[in-house]
Each structure stands twice: as structure tokens, then as C-alpha cells.
Amino acid sequence: DTGVSQNPRHKITKRGQNVTFRCDPISEHNRLYWYRQTLGQGPEFLTYFQNEAQLEKSRLLSDRFSAERPKGSFSTLEIQRTEQGDSAMYLCASSLGTGYAQPQHFGDGTRLSIL
Amino acid sequence: DQQVKQNSPSLSVQEGRISILNCDYTNSMFDYFLWYKKYPAEGPTFLISISSIKDKNEDGRFTVFLNKSAKHLSLHIVPSQPGDSAVYFCAARADQTSYDKVIFGPGTSLSVIP
């Protein structure tokens, strides 16, 4: 399977704990995106990487959130000191940047539940 | 303030009939529009797109229409099939940056009744 892979699929944790999610994009894709989706809403942009460089972060991404993409391959999204409001589906997407809009290919997401 | 709106949370259509999903946007800088389909427990899947220089794009049973003056687009599915039952997201990109950041609407849940 050469699609976008996200792990874990589900994460249940207690409030205040740290969590880390991983995303493996499609291998030739140089652009990687993180989104958050809550019930009844569309995906909301969190952050974006072009290769290993993080080029934009949404104001939704508080100081408790950090994302990395070392070596421009897989990416991790860490949430520190989780809060109830962090419960959501976290989606990763990748695309091949060629100068014109390319569709983003999404993984199946990581569902985070904060107890 | 939602820049991409899908005012119908749900839609039911008989199999074989036409499904029309609507989307409105507020940002006149949007230059590229996409539709994604999402099944439960899966990520969104790209369906069809349209550039702002066009007013129609067709791909098999799926056609997207763009009315720039009204800031409105619609997705037509003809004929509708039970497998089309999913949540459909309208998304838009503003050509203000060098990357493909898109803004999604809240989605419309389509049910195709056999």
C-alpha cells in the first residue's frame, strides 16, 4: 500500500498526558500537512511542511503542539499536557508540489480521546 | 467566520437520480476548488477539482459547476449509486501563498437510497 499511513489509529489518554502521532506520506510527496477534524466540521489546517521545513502554523496550533519532519520523510505531531478540547481526529495529508494545485492525499487519521 | 459553507448538512436521494451538493464561499481570492468524499473511519479522498478560470469540469458521473459571480459551486452526481453514500467536503485554495493550503467546508452527508 503506497498511501498515506498514520499511527496509531486510536489513542486514548488521560488529561495532562503527552501524546505523539506519526504520519508516513506517499514517498515522492514533498509537501505534508496536518489537519484536525471535530464532529460535524471539515478538516482544519494545523501546519504544513515543504520537505523538512515547517512553513506555516495555524493559530489553532497552540504552544502545546509541535510538529517535526526530520529528513523530509515521515512527520510527528506531539501534543503536550493534553486537554479535553484536544479530542479530535488528527489527519495527515501529502501532496507533490509542482507549482500548481495538486490534490492532497489523506491518511485515515488518528482519533484522540482525552479522558 | 467560515469562508467555505455547505449549508445542507445532509441530503437523501434515490438510486439512479441526480445528487446535487452545493457550496458557497466568501473569499474572492480563492482560485481553485476541490471536492473530497469521506467514508466513515477513513480519511477524505479527492474526487474532482475545478480552476477558477473554468465554469465546469466533468469526470465520469461527477460534474462540478462554478459560478464565480455568485461565489457558488455545486457537485452533480448522475446517476447516484448507493456506494456514493458518504460525507462530501467542498474545499477551496487561495492563491496567496506558494503552497496548497486549502480551506474545507463542514461537509454534506449524502445518502443514496436503493
Side-chain angles (χ1 to χ4, degrees):
Chain A
D1 183 79
T2 57
V4 177
S5 176
Q6 291 188 248
N7 289 288
R9 290 296 308 275
H10 304 275
K11 180 69 177 179
I12 302 173
T13 191
K14 293 182 179 180
R15 183 169 55 92
Q17 298 295 305
N18 299 344
V19 293
T20 300
F21 312 138
R22 176 178 170 127
C23 171
D24 288 272
I26 294 173
S27 59
E28 64 268 25
H29 286 184
N30 57 342
R31 296 180 175 178
L32 186 146
Y33 312 79
W34 284 99
Y35 291 85
R36 181 174 69 187
Q37 185 180 14
T38 54
L39 194 63
Q41 299 297 318
E44 295 176 289
F45 172 81
L46 292 179
T47 190
Y48 155 78
F49 289 85
Q50 170 105 357
N51 299 312
E52 67 275 10
Q54 187 174 17
L55 297 186
E56 181 166 336
K57 294 192 290 186
S58 163
R59 58 188 171 170
L60 292 174
L61 215 64
S62 75
D63 292 343
R64 297 182 298 105
F65 288 70
S66 63
E68 294 181 343
R69 193 184 182 197
K71 303 177 183 178
S73 56
F74 72 92
S75 176
T76 58
L77 177 67
E78 180 183 15
I79 309 174
Q80 296 182 327
R81 305 180 304 280
T82 52
E83 301 174 356
Q84 294 280 355
D86 296 332
S87 294
M89 175 72 82
Y90 289 85
L91 293 163
C92 175
S94 69
S95 69
L96 183 61
T98 60
Y100 190 72
Q102 292 289 321
Q104 295 175 20
H105 299 262
F106 283 83
D108 289 338
T110 294
R111 180 168 295 285
L112 175 63
S113 298
I114 307 298
L115 301 177
Chain B
D1 180 34
Q2 275 193 340
Q3 297 188 64
V4 179
K5 304 177 184 181
Q6 295 176 258
N7 293 321
S8 297
S10 62
L11 176 68
S12 290
V13 173
Q14 288 286 342
E15 180 179 4
R17 305 292 292 270
I18 184 171
S19 296
I20 300 177
L21 295 96
N22 293 302
C23 177
D24 297 287
Y25 61 96
T26 58
N27 189 341
S28 59
M29 297 300 293
F30 287 150
D31 72 329
Y32 189 67
F33 303 89
L34 309 95
W35 284 93
Y36 281 83
K37 178 170 73 173
K38 184 182 183 303
Y39 292 119
E42 295 183 10
T45 302
F46 170 72
L47 193 57
I48 192 170
S49 63
I50 187 167
S51 165
S52 60
I53 62 174
K54 296 184 176 181
D55 56 15
K56 177 182 176 181
N57 188 27
E58 194 170 355
D59 183 3
R61 297 185 298 113
F62 302 92
T63 302
V64 56
F65 295 92
L66 175 62
N67 182 335
K68 283 188 64 179
S69 61
K71 294 190 178 70
H72 177 84
L73 64 155
S74 60
L75 174 68
H76 292 212
I77 306 173
V78 182
S80 301
Q81 300 173 354
D84 296 329
S85 297
V87 177
Y88 289 78
F89 293 103
C90 173
R93 187 196 83 151
D95 189 21
Q96 298 173 352
T97 62
S98 61
Y99 57 89
D100 298 330
K101 173 182 171 181
V102 296
I103 297 172
F104 286 82
T108 295
S109 178
L110 173 66
S111 296
V112 180
I113 304 164

